[in-house]
Amino acid sequence: MDSPASVSPPAEWFAEWFDSDYYHRLYYAHGEAEAQDFLDRLIAWLRLKSGARVLDLACGRGRHSRYLRAQGFDVTGVDLSTRSIAYAQAQASDDAHLRFRRHDMREPLHEPGQYHVILNLFTSFGYFDSEAENVLVLRAAAEALRPGGELVIDYLNTSRVRQTLVAAEEKTAGGTTFRLRRRIHDGFFEKEIDFRDDAGRPHHFRERVQALSPTQLETYFALAGLRVRATFGDYTLAPYDADASPRLIYVVKK
């Protein structure tokens, strides 16, 4: 029997998995058009003016940062993944208004009061083992916001996920077949991911995201000195419905 070429989780599962090319291969199918439409709606709703300073928190390879820059904003993207940041920097050319750097979102940004808006999109929150770490993320973001600045948190609607969880499936993306198994365990949504790489070697990774309720999230916001301005239930910015909405999207204000 083959032994896995890499085993996850390490001390923190996301440090290795998010740095893998296969992570991007698995999720590449996330619709570019849908993402851009979502950003357009957010920009209009937030009434962002040209030149506004925007932080893309957990930016990945920077596709949303690049789109925001193309709309006329001054954009910084930060992410924990060294490889993702290297890719994003290579795409940014010498644009002084589009910057990328590696950063752990739990750490202070050391840019107090710099940003009009901070975006944390597509379930880039709740990865950590403790609730205290969630509050650290939000406090760091709050410190970096200008007075009256806003943070957008795009999260799972955990109530809906509990109802619709698909326990097992196979998905082929970029020529790789991923075997996915999901469960709810100890307050986390867990996904086991198995596949063979292009050389035929087996790999295994695990994703873990906290199954956070609106009450928990709103408690974190209060602890970080942030107040809820709006709540949406999908990428069209429809109202949130606990039973039917696919997403739980908060706009919170400093």
Side-chain angles (χ1 to χ4, degrees):
M1 179 181 294
D2 293 327
S3 60
S6 64
V7 178
S8 183
E12 293 182 314
W13 63 267
F14 45 85
E16 183 180 0
W17 177 222
F18 288 177
D19 222 25
S20 164
D21 289 338
Y22 290 90
Y23 167 80
H24 298 282
R25 188 175 297 190
L26 175 59
Y27 293 112
Y28 180 79
H30 280 190
E32 193 79 17
E34 180 185 45
Q36 292 181 1
D37 180 66
F38 175 41
L39 289 171
D40 288 341
R41 291 172 186 271
L42 275 178
I43 290 165
W45 194 91
L46 294 166
R47 298 184 179 179
L48 273 184
K49 296 179 180 179
S50 180
R53 294 202 67 188
V54 178
L55 177 68
D56 188 359
L57 186 63
C59 67
R61 290 184 170 182
R63 64 172 179 157
H64 307 124
S65 297
R66 291 190 295 275
Y67 184 75
L68 289 162
R69 174 63 194 126
Q71 309 316 303
F73 306 113
D74 185 279
V75 183
T76 299
V78 299
D79 198 272
L80 185 65
S81 168
T82 301
R83 295 180 70 181
S84 290
I85 288 297
Y87 180 94
Q89 288 173 332
Q91 302 299 309
S93 186
D94 57 354
D95 188 340
H97 297 283
L98 178 60
R99 300 163 296 274
F100 294 98
R101 69 175 188 270
R102 186 179 182 277
H103 177 74
D104 185 326
M105 68 172 71
R106 293 165 291 188
E107 300 292 332
L109 285 148
H110 301 298
E111 296 178 292
Q114 291 298 304
Y115 295 100
H116 295 89
V117 169
I118 297 176
L119 303 177
N120 181 254
L121 304 179
F122 301 100
T123 319
S124 298
F125 187 79
Y127 299 151
F128 311 115
D129 288 334
S130 71
E131 293 189 287
E133 290 169 290
N134 296 332
V135 178
L136 287 176
V137 172
L138 294 171
R139 284 180 172 164
E143 181 185 40
L145 282 171
R146 295 186 176 198
E150 292 168 306
L151 166 67
V152 178
I153 295 279
D154 166 28
Y155 201 65
L156 300 164
N157 176 12
T158 55
S159 175
R160 180 66 175 164
V161 173
R162 290 178 187 277
Q163 298 173 41
T164 61
L165 189 73
V166 177
E169 67 173 322
E170 285 193 357
K171 179 179 179 180
T172 299
T176 299
T177 297
F178 298 89
R179 291 175 296 280
L180 311 175
R181 290 171 291 129
R182 302 180 181 88
R183 67 172 182 168
I184 303 169
H185 180 66
D186 286 343
F188 285 81
F189 295 119
E190 294 187 349
K191 183 189 294 181
E192 304 286 346
I193 303 163
D194 292 281
F195 62 93
R196 288 183 178 270
D197 65 21
D198 294 337
R201 296 170 298 192
H203 292 256
H204 173 79
F205 291 92
R206 175 185 298 158
E207 294 180 2
R208 298 177 78 239
V209 177
Q210 294 176 26
L212 299 172
S213 69
T215 299
Q216 287 172 290
L217 287 162
E218 289 167 22
T219 298
Y220 301 155
F221 298 148
L223 289 170
L226 299 164
R227 60 182 177 84
V228 176
R229 183 181 173 201
T231 310
F232 302 110
D234 64 24
Y235 294 138
T236 72
L237 305 188
Y240 171 70
D241 183 310
D243 294 323
S245 293
R247 307 298 298 173
L248 174 56
I249 302 168
Y250 280 102
V251 179
V252 294
K253 190 165 187 172
K254 183 174 179 178

